[in-house]
Amino acid sequence: MSIWWSLHLRREAASVPLARRLLIGTMETAGVDPDISYDLSVALTEACANAVEHGGDTARDGSSQAYRVTAYLDGEKCRIEVADSGPGFVRTQDIRTARADAEHGRGLCLIRELADHVHIGAKPGRGGTVVSFDKILKWKKDPSLLTA
């Protein structure tokens, strides 16, 4: 089975739960194990929060710019990409563990711990950052998609 979707969201905090709910709903319908769904939803939440916070300046008219979330469930793997138009920041190899008392800086470390593979790089062409991560899927016994 192969499922993919893409969202273009405003860089506003209210957009983050929308992406998370869509991912969880898609995985639940497809029959993905709830523990895997949870891990990926937390990683997606962190990546979206980074895009909202660091994803670029406010547009000239005062509105928030957008970021893009794309999820692919293909066979035994899920890949998620979050792309923004900000100035760009770290590379995957630059991710360091945040101090235990730090209030910020844990998101990328958390994504790295929850996913099987993480890549952070520049968005081709126009600048910005793309955070992509994937995880091998596990399935529950009776997926609702197959019984509906």
Side-chain angles (χ1 to χ4, degrees):
M1 174 186 343
S2 182
I3 301 171
W4 75 271
W5 51 261
S6 186
L7 299 171
H8 291 259
L9 300 165
R10 288 185 183 195
R11 276 189 41 242
E12 300 172 349
S15 68
V16 177
L18 174 64
R20 182 179 59 238
R21 286 186 199 120
L22 183 57
L23 179 67
I24 289 172
T26 301
M27 290 194 186
E28 183 178 314
T29 301
V32 175
D33 178 82
D35 291 337
I36 299 294
S37 295
Y38 178 78
D39 287 352
L40 286 169
S41 72
V42 171
L44 174 63
T45 298
E46 293 298 333
C48 289
N50 280 341
V52 167
E53 186 172 347
H54 305 291
D57 295 328
T58 302
R60 289 183 180 161
D61 65 0
S63 64
S64 297
Q65 294 181 350
Y67 67 102
R68 179 180 45 86
V69 176
T70 306
Y72 307 89
L73 278 76
D74 192 16
E76 298 299 313
K77 181 170 75 171
C78 177
R79 165 163 277 193
I80 298 171
E81 296 177 359
V82 177
D84 65 45
S85 57
F89 61 126
V90 300
R91 298 170 300 167
T92 305
Q93 59 268 34
D94 294 335
I95 299 172
R96 292 188 180 91
T97 304
R99 293 188 347 243
D101 61 346
E103 292 188 25
H104 298 287
R106 294 185 182 154
L108 294 174
C109 295
L110 192 54
I111 293 168
R112 187 174 58 189
E113 291 300 317
L114 294 170
D116 294 328
H117 179 262
V118 179
H119 178 76
I120 301 168
K123 189 163 71 171
R126 300 183 310 233
T129 301
V130 177
V131 176
S132 64
F133 51 95
D134 53 57
K135 189 166 183 83
I136 300 299
L137 298 175
K138 293 179 186 172
W139 304 94
K140 55 186 177 181
K141 289 187 180 192
D142 296 317
S144 57
L145 184 63
L146 301 177
T147 58

